[in-house]
Each structure stands twice: as structure tokens, then as C-alpha cells.
Amino acid sequence: MLSKTRAKHLVPNAVICASTVLIVSFIVWLNPVWLIRLEHMAGDFVRDHGRKTEVRNDMVLIGIDQDSLNIIDLLDEEEILADPSLDDMSFGFPFPRRVYGNLIEKLVEAGARIVVFDILFPTRGEGDDVLKSVIEKYPDKVVVGMNIHEPEVGKSTTVPRMEVPSDSVLEWEGSGDPRVGFVNYFPDEDDKVRSAHFYHKFDPRPQSPVYHSLATAALKQLGEDSKVPFTLAPQHFRFTSMRNKVGESAYEPIPLYTIFHEGFWQNNFREGEFFADKIVYVGGTSIAYFHDVVNSPEGEILGPHLQMNVLAAALAGEFYNKWSPPEMFGLVVAFGLVAFLFAFVFSRPILGLVALFGFIFAYFFAVILPAYNSGAYLLGAIPPLASFGFSGLVCYGYRFTSEIFEKARLRRTLERQMSPKMAKHILDRPEDFYSSIPGQRVPVTILFSDIRGFTTRSENDDPIQLVSQLKEYLTAMVEIVEKHNGIVDKFIGDAVMAVWNPVESLGPERDAQNAVAAAMEMHEKLDQLNRKWLAEERDAFAIGIGLNFGEAIFGQMGSEGKQELTVIGDPVNQAARLEGLTKKFGAKTLISESVSQYTDKQFRLRSLGDIQTKGKSEAAALFSVIGKLTDTLPAEDAEFLERYEAGLAVFRAGKVDEAKDVFEKCLEDRPTDIPSKLYLDEIEIGTDGGVLVMREK
């Protein structure tokens, strides 16, 4: 069953969550640039912390780096003239095309599986004949790049401009030629490349040509056609782990000139053995000259590195799917519902906020990352979390604000009606207050204390002095009750009614023990006050305390115009009767059997037998509190109590004559012992024993 507080917030929370879902869904439908960028950032976080494509040991990059562009400053004349290709390179870039032909020849003869050029040869150049003859010699070992220029917006033509290899280098056989692939990459809105196109076409008509990428051409030349994603849609792939600094990566570039340098070829590459069974990429790696740098989730990387990442991902099948718009809308709705459930389950704002942030953290690290790592799926993050987060924050903000106003209203009412502890508890946990209004049964320990003879004193003493003394006494008693986790329920004239504890119970046993401890300390404090008052020539107070435990009714009692939060029922009435019996038995504190069952291991109790109080049809065991069980009891007191308990036992058994002898002996030892005298009086009346009947209140 819903608590009234939760039920009160149910409809507002539902309205808040539904409104947030609609707003977030509308923003997702608009798909603004800032949302796209935020989603990219969240995805990059997952990519950065998620699974990477494994570095392939069979892929290498030969780079046209700064040293290769300036070998004349790096090598001496003899080293340059030792190889025709180095001699050609010494005249600067662009190199004669025969340099690349010689490179292919050298690598293929060394056992390279394929040589991929991330380089364009769109115009005729020196040495084309050599390069062309080598490509024709090894038609299944070489891939070269081409470039596609999309039609410009506003131009009348819709025909793309193609930069294909010059026919002096390669007789291009059209879009299906496996020796040629486009080197283009298509960045996202934030200018980062996260996906690759393996096929591309400009004209949607079925008969229009489909061009394939450099990676697609390489896969075909390698005989790995089955690993080419046969789709025009961009394929999201996992990058190989790369460091942010440009040029530093898992595929560290090998300077081009070292391939033709005899010392490097023999020592570093072991006469070419290093390149056996390798996939070799060739591209420009001098950033200053080529400016071929790509922005990626791994930071800025070289263009040839991007091409190698795509091929490595394709060979390993390291692709993943991204959310679709319907899935995103579904997540937004689902997360709004989750936020509504959170606001219902975690009703306290602080706990709820902790749970909100915990859920967001868990969604990232326990759902999104595992789905990306093992499920090959990148879930949406920002819109669903916005739906969840804003719904939750507004729900708890509304709840927090309403609680502030509610507490302010309650504080004004409660502080005029009840103890500070009860008022504080109601302000902290108003649901308890609302549930108690109609009344509920709760196990409580009730304490009644009363000043003996106060009515007579109020008629004779100076009223101002008496009120001052009473205020000092009541203040001290209240402090003791609250010190022992009790609540002062009310003052009835000079009487104090305290309860353990209808709002913050420590359990029946602890509550009863605290109540007895408070009663003992109340007597000790009164002794101190009496010594002070006597020194001030004021009369002393004497009090009796009765304690009872039972199930009472706790709730708002009174009329429509005036009410108070209190406890009522027979346990309360019985506690008042016990207080009244303290004078009858000459005891400071009397407790019922229900209290004794929780306190007899901590306090020394004296049994007063089974007592039938006036107005009750059944007898109940009654005890007086002597002191703490840890306190030392004088030997003569222990002997007296032992004899008394023996007399009480035979009285309960109906052996009144034996009981009479024992109680008479008790009175010989302690002439002022009232319980012994009460039992003798009962025997004189002619009782059959068993129960001591109180015929007066």
C-alpha cells in the first residue's frame, strides 16, 4: 500500500517525467548540431575505453618522411650514387615514378603479399613506364589510390570529378578494377572520422557505377572478398590503439630511403626477409609537406594510418552498429520511466540523487561498454541519460521544495504541541506523521510520574515560588527522559507522562531498559534538587513512578478544533495505576511484568506478587526497582529479600499460614517494610492466598 507522501508525489512525478520525455524526444527529432557533437563525445569516451582492433604484425608502413625528402642532407654522395633510386630521390619531390616501380619490385621479390599506395598518380610523370611495367608484372600485388571529388553545391553539373591513375601508369578498367580504390574518408559533423565507406556511388540509379575504397581493393587483392561489407552505408570500425602525438602509432613509419640503402636493407630488413608475407602501405608521412592528417577518436593520425586502421578492422571483423532513431526514441521513453520508478522507490532526495548518479555511472560502465566490447553495438547515451537525469533531478527538486514548505508548515504547528524530539522526527519523516493521524497500534513503554501531595501544597504555598520550583523540576525531568531516548508525551498538572518510543523505537527491550534507567535517574536528580531546595528553605518534592509496557494506540487525538499526537489505551491506564500504587507499597518505582521481562538482566527487582488493582478483573505481577544489578547489595538486604521471596512463594501457593509466619519474621527484621505488612493484612482478612487485591486506588 502506498504511503500518503509517496501517493501525493505520484501524479506530479508522472507529469514531470512525461514532459521531460516529450521535450527530449522533440530535441532528438530536431537533431541539432550540439546534440550530435555531445553524442559523438560520449561515443568517443566509449571507444577510448572500449575494445580496440588488435595491432597486426603483418602490416607495415613505408613513409615518405622528411628524411626521405632531404636525403641529400642525410647521406653522403657515395651512398646516394650506390642506388639509382636514391639518386633519383636526391633531386627532390616529386620523385620519378620509377622509384615506386623499383620499390614494388624489391618488396614483392622479398615476399610481400601486397603493396598499397596511399598516393595518387593522376598525371603523367617521369619514369611512368617503369612503374607501369611493374604493375602489369604484378597485377594482383599492387593497389594504388584514386580521389573522388563530390559535385559542388550550386553547380549545374552533378557529375563527380575523378582523379584516377594516369593511363601512363595503369590502364584503369573502371569502377570494378581491383587495383584502384578511392582514398577518400568522410568525417562526421565535428570533423572526426569514425567510419569508413567501402563502396560509394553518386547517382542513386541502379545502373550507375559503384566505386570501391582503397581498403576494399586491398581486400580483393588479398583474396579476402568475404570480409568486405557489401553496403553503401558507412561502417563504424574499431581503431587500433594509437597515441595522440601525430606520427607515433602502432605502425611506426619506415623511411622510404632506407629500402634502397644497402646497409639498412641488409641489417635492418635482413635482405628483405622482414617484408615476407607483409601487407605494405606506402604514403606520405611528412606532415610539413603533405599535410595528410586526419582527426579521429584516437586524436590526430596520419592519412596512411587511417587506411591501415580500416583494413586491419575489416580483416579482424571489428565493426560495430550504432543506434537507430527508433531505438533512440525507445531509450528516451524507457529511461523516463526508469526515472519515474527511481523517484518512487528512492523517496528521499539525497538518496535519490546518489541513486541517479549511480545509475548513470552503471549505464556507462555496466551496459554501454559491455555492449560495445562484446555485443558489437554502441548504445545511445546523451538523449536517454538526459531523459533520465532531468526527469530525476526535477522530480527530486520538486519533492525537496515541497518538503521545505511542508516542514515549515509542520514546524509552526508541532513546536506548539509536542516535544522537540517528536517534532523533529515528524519533520524528518513526515510519512510517519501522516500514517499516524488515523491511529495505529504500536508497542510502547509508558512512564507516569507524579508529585505526592502537590494538590495540598498548591493550595497553601506561594504560587509564584511553587510555579518556579515546578518549572525547575519539570525541566530536569524532561532532560532525563530525552537523554534516555524517550519522549515527553504531556504534562498533566504536576504529573509527567513519557513514552518509549512510538516514532524512534530501539526495540521493546532497549526501550524498556531506557525507561527504567530514566526513572532511576529521575529519582537521583530529584534528590539533588531537594538538597538544593532545602538549602534555599523551600520544601522538597517526593515522586512515584509507574512503568508499563504494551501495545497502545498512537495517533492524533482530540476534537475537530483541537488535537494532539499521543498514545491511549489500557497500557497507558495501567502505567497510571502503577504510579498510584507506589505510595501504597512504599516504593519509588513500580514496573509491570511486561517491563520486567526486558529489564531483569540489568536491574535488581523486588517482586510484589500478583496484584489485582481496582478496576481490573485479572491479577498481574508487579515489581519494584531496587537498583542496578551491577550494584553491590549488602548481605543483610540480600538475606531479607530471600526470606521475603520465600514468603511470597508460599502465599502464591495458597499456604497462607506459612506465609504469615514468614512475613511476620520479615516485619521483625524490617518493621517499616510495607509489602510484608500488606500481605499480613490480606491474610488477616481471610484470603485464600495467591493474589493480593487492591481494594482502593
Side-chain angles (χ1 to χ4, degrees):
M1 186 176 178
L2 291 178
S3 68
K4 287 192 174 181
T5 304
R6 284 181 172 175
K8 183 177 67 173
H9 293 294
L10 201 61
V11 173
N13 286 348
V15 171
I16 289 168
C17 293
S19 301
T20 304
V21 166
L22 289 174
I23 293 170
V24 174
S25 297
F26 180 69
I27 294 172
V28 171
W29 179 74
L30 292 176
N31 202 26
V33 174
W34 60 265
L35 178 60
I36 296 172
R37 291 181 180 273
L38 284 175
E39 191 61 33
H40 283 324
M41 290 172 61
D44 288 345
F45 176 86
V46 176
R47 296 179 189 95
D48 186 46
H49 292 80
R51 194 175 86 205
K52 309 284 186 182
T53 297
E54 292 289 334
V55 176
R56 295 185 66 90
N57 295 324
D58 63 346
M59 290 179 64
V60 296
L61 171 62
I62 295 176
I64 305 174
D65 63 346
Q66 202 63 35
D67 287 341
S68 298
L69 294 172
N70 298 286
I71 62 170
I72 196 167
D73 298 327
L74 186 67
L75 305 176
D76 57 37
E77 185 177 358
E78 183 179 350
E79 289 177 304
I80 293 173
L81 294 175
D83 187 281
S85 294
L86 290 177
D87 188 25
D88 282 336
M89 292 172 64
S90 67
F91 291 96
F93 193 83
F95 304 138
R97 303 281 171 76
R98 57 179 166 267
V99 171
Y100 303 114
N102 294 336
L103 176 64
I104 296 170
E105 189 83 49
K106 202 162 189 177
L107 292 173
V108 172
E109 287 182 358
R113 293 178 65 190
I114 186 176
V115 181
V116 184
F117 284 89
D118 186 16
I119 299 174
L120 306 180
F121 303 111
T123 60
R124 292 177 177 270
E126 182 184 353
D128 281 357
D129 55 332
V130 176
L131 177 57
K132 184 174 183 178
S133 66
V134 173
I135 293 175
E136 290 175 348
K137 182 179 179 181
Y138 304 112
D140 58 347
K141 296 287 186 180
V142 181
V143 176
V144 298
M146 63 175 282
N147 204 354
I148 303 174
H149 295 277
E150 298 273 5
E152 294 183 28
V153 178
K155 298 289 185 180
S156 58
T157 179
T158 59
V159 179
R161 184 167 62 87
M162 314 291 293
E163 282 189 290
V164 299
S166 169
D167 57 6
S168 62
V169 172
L170 181 149
E171 295 290 343
W172 185 47
E173 298 174 357
S175 60
D177 193 335
R179 298 170 299 169
V180 181
F182 62 80
V183 297
N184 303 70
Y185 40 81
F186 302 91
D188 292 324
E189 294 81 358
D190 58 354
D191 205 35
K192 280 187 180 181
V193 176
R194 298 179 178 86
S195 61
H197 287 72
F198 285 83
Y199 292 97
H200 191 65
K201 66 184 298 185
F202 302 96
D203 193 331
R205 289 176 295 182
Q207 67 272 22
S208 62
V210 177
Y211 302 94
H212 54 231
S213 69
L214 196 68
T216 302
L219 288 166
K220 289 178 179 292
Q221 292 287 62
L222 289 167
E224 299 284 0
D225 301 56
S226 62
K227 295 187 176 178
V228 179
F230 193 71
T231 176
L232 293 171
Q235 298 298 297
H236 296 275
F237 64 94
R238 293 185 175 89
F239 281 77
T240 302
S241 181
M242 310 188 69
R243 296 183 289 275
N244 285 333
K245 188 175 179 181
V246 174
E248 292 187 356
S249 78
Y251 304 111
E252 192 65 31
I254 299 169
L256 174 62
Y257 80 91
T258 62
I259 306 300
F260 303 109
H261 191 283
E262 187 66 23
F264 281 101
W265 186 256
Q266 289 181 356
N267 301 320
N268 292 50
F269 307 126
R270 303 186 302 279
E271 292 287 350
E273 183 183 342
F274 172 79
F275 294 102
D277 296 320
K278 292 287 199 302
I279 300 169
V280 182
Y281 269 79
V282 183
T285 58
S286 171
I287 299 171
Y289 191 90
F290 296 102
H291 308 289
D292 190 9
V293 178
V294 182
N295 197 7
S296 79
E298 296 292 325
E300 290 187 327
I301 62 174
L302 295 170
H305 280 149
L306 176 62
Q307 302 292 351
M308 296 175 77
N309 269 266
V310 174
L311 182 62
L315 287 170
E318 290 288 2
F319 298 108
Y320 62 90
N321 296 312
K322 284 189 68 176
W323 45 265
S324 64
E327 290 169 339
M328 182 63 82
F329 284 115
L331 284 173
V332 168
V333 174
F335 275 52
L337 178 60
V338 172
F340 174 75
L341 294 175
F342 264 64
F344 175 74
V345 174
F346 302 102
S347 58
R348 294 178 179 272
I350 299 300
L351 179 61
L353 290 175
V354 172
L356 283 178
F357 286 107
F359 180 85
I360 292 172
F361 183 87
Y363 178 63
F364 255 106
F365 291 97
V367 178
I368 293 181
L369 269 176
Y372 177 78
N373 289 335
S374 59
Y377 197 88
L378 181 61
L379 291 167
I382 301 303
L385 289 179
S387 175
F388 174 78
F390 283 114
S391 293
L393 288 174
V394 176
C395 282
Y396 286 118
Y398 163 77
R399 190 184 188 99
F400 182 74
T401 303
S402 64
E403 283 185 0
I404 289 176
F405 286 108
E406 185 72 12
K407 285 183 178 181
R409 185 181 67 83
L410 282 173
R411 184 178 294 110
R412 289 192 295 269
T413 303
L414 298 177
E415 288 179 350
R416 295 193 296 266
Q417 298 183 6
M418 60 187 64
S419 70
K421 178 172 286 190
M422 185 175 288
K424 181 180 183 302
H425 178 81
I426 293 173
L427 292 173
D428 291 341
R429 298 179 61 182
E431 62 270 17
D432 289 353
F433 172 69
Y434 290 119
S435 65
S436 68
I437 287 177
Q440 57 182 345
R441 293 189 179 278
V442 292
V444 290
T445 299
I446 303 100
L447 178 151
F448 262 94
S449 74
D450 192 31
I451 301 175
R452 293 170 182 167
F454 187 80
T455 302
T456 302
R457 288 192 55 181
S458 64
E459 295 173 353
N460 301 322
D461 290 5
D462 177 69
I464 296 176
Q465 182 176 332
L466 186 60
V467 169
S468 173
Q469 188 176 0
L470 182 61
K471 186 180 295 184
E472 185 177 2
Y473 158 76
L474 292 176
T475 299
M477 298 302 106
V478 169
E479 290 176 355
I480 293 170
V481 168
E482 293 179 350
K483 171 186 172 182
H484 291 276
N485 201 52
I487 293 174
V488 174
D489 183 280
K490 62 172 64 70
F491 299 116
I492 309 170
D494 60 293
V496 177
M497 175 182 166
V499 189
W500 280 262
N501 188 317
V503 293
E504 282 186 314
S505 176
L506 300 176
E509 184 173 1
R510 287 284 303 279
D511 286 346
Q513 292 168 6
N514 284 336
V516 174
M520 291 183 63
E521 189 172 340
M522 288 168 71
H523 284 294
E524 292 170 3
K525 182 64 179 178
L526 182 59
D527 290 341
Q528 296 175 15
L529 290 173
N530 282 334
R531 288 192 292 271
K532 171 180 174 292
W533 291 332
L534 290 172
E536 296 171 353
E537 298 184 350
R538 289 194 284 179
D539 293 335
F541 283 170
I543 63 172
I545 297 176
L547 291 165
N548 186 37
F549 171 82
E551 196 173 74
I553 298 173
F554 173 62
Q556 286 281 89
M557 309 298 173
S559 66
E560 289 295 329
K562 181 175 176 57
Q563 296 184 349
E564 63 178 358
L565 196 61
T566 185
V567 291
I568 61 171
D570 187 66
V572 179
N573 299 335
Q574 183 66 3
R577 292 188 190 98
L578 296 181
E579 183 280 319
L581 289 175
T582 55
K583 187 174 182 181
K584 184 77 173 177
F585 280 92
K588 289 184 175 181
T589 302
L590 293 183
I591 66 174
S592 64
E593 184 177 16
S594 57
V595 175
S596 72
Q597 66 179 332
Y598 296 123
T599 58
D600 58 0
K601 299 294 190 300
Q602 289 76 30
F603 301 94
R604 181 171 280 109
L605 308 177
R606 179 183 181 181
S607 176
L608 299 178
D610 296 326
I611 312 299
Q612 182 180 341
T613 56
K614 188 174 179 63
K616 299 289 289 185
S617 60
E618 295 182 359
L622 191 62
F623 301 83
S624 65
V625 180
I626 298 175
K628 295 179 181 178
L629 205 58
T630 54
D631 295 342
T632 302
L633 187 68
E636 59 272 17
D637 290 346
E639 183 181 345
F640 172 79
L641 288 175
E642 184 178 354
R643 181 183 298 114
Y644 167 81
E645 294 289 348
L648 189 60
V650 293
F651 180 84
R652 279 174 164 164
K655 300 175 182 180
V656 292
D657 292 333
E658 290 184 41
K660 180 179 179 182
D661 293 339
V662 176
F663 287 130
E664 286 177 346
K665 180 62 177 173
C666 288
L667 282 177
E668 289 177 9
D669 294 342
R670 302 281 175 90
T672 59
D673 184 57
I674 296 178
S676 297
K677 187 175 186 312
L678 287 174
Y679 276 103
L680 282 175
D681 291 345
E682 186 71 12
I683 293 170
E684 289 294 332
I685 293 173
T687 182
D688 294 329
V691 175
L692 180 60
V693 180
M694 296 286 100
R695 296 173 175 82
E696 297 178 0
K697 287 189 177 181

